[in-house]
Amino acid sequence: AFEARTPERTGTYSYENHPADLPPEYAARLRAENRAWTWWEAQTPSYRRAATWWVVSATQKSTRDRRLQQLIADCAAGRPIKPLTYERKTIAAL
């Protein structure tokens, strides 16, 4: 099957089209914040891919910029972005 694949059918699935890394200009803005960059580099590749997709998938540039700023702030604080966190509920809250 691998030998029989054709170039026009490669990269057609949605998971194959997600960027693995931040675009260079976004990575440079993240790298400018030392604490944020250190935390980002310590994260798993799956987290970085998901966070990258969250930033770059926004349609409007203003939304991408806002999400990047949120990513930088969360990385500098040493926490994952809100869309990739799970809320823990206590028994009292149920």
Side-chain angles (χ1 to χ4, degrees):
F2 187 76
E3 302 288 330
R5 74 187 191 282
T6 59
E8 65 273 359
R9 296 286 300 183
T10 303
T12 59
Y13 301 104
S14 62
Y15 68 88
E16 295 176 320
N17 296 321
H18 291 195
D21 295 319
L22 285 168
E25 63 273 7
Y26 289 175
R29 288 172 57 185
L30 181 61
R31 194 176 288 119
E33 298 287 332
N34 192 32
R35 289 181 63 194
W37 182 253
T38 302
W39 192 85
W40 174 259
E41 285 290 299
Q43 299 313 298
T44 63
S46 61
Y47 172 80
R48 292 195 310 250
R49 273 192 308 274
T52 295
W53 180 245
W54 178 69
V55 172
V56 300
S57 66
T59 305
Q60 296 183 357
K61 183 178 179 343
S62 60
T63 305
R64 286 191 301 272
D65 289 341
R66 187 177 66 245
R67 287 181 180 182
L68 179 63
Q69 285 303 329
Q70 184 63 50
L71 174 68
I72 292 169
D74 287 343
C75 286
R79 63 178 178 254
I81 57 174
K82 191 157 182 95
L84 298 178
T85 58
Y86 298 99
E87 183 178 329
R88 295 183 182 188
K89 296 188 182 229
T90 62
I91 294 175
L94 298 175

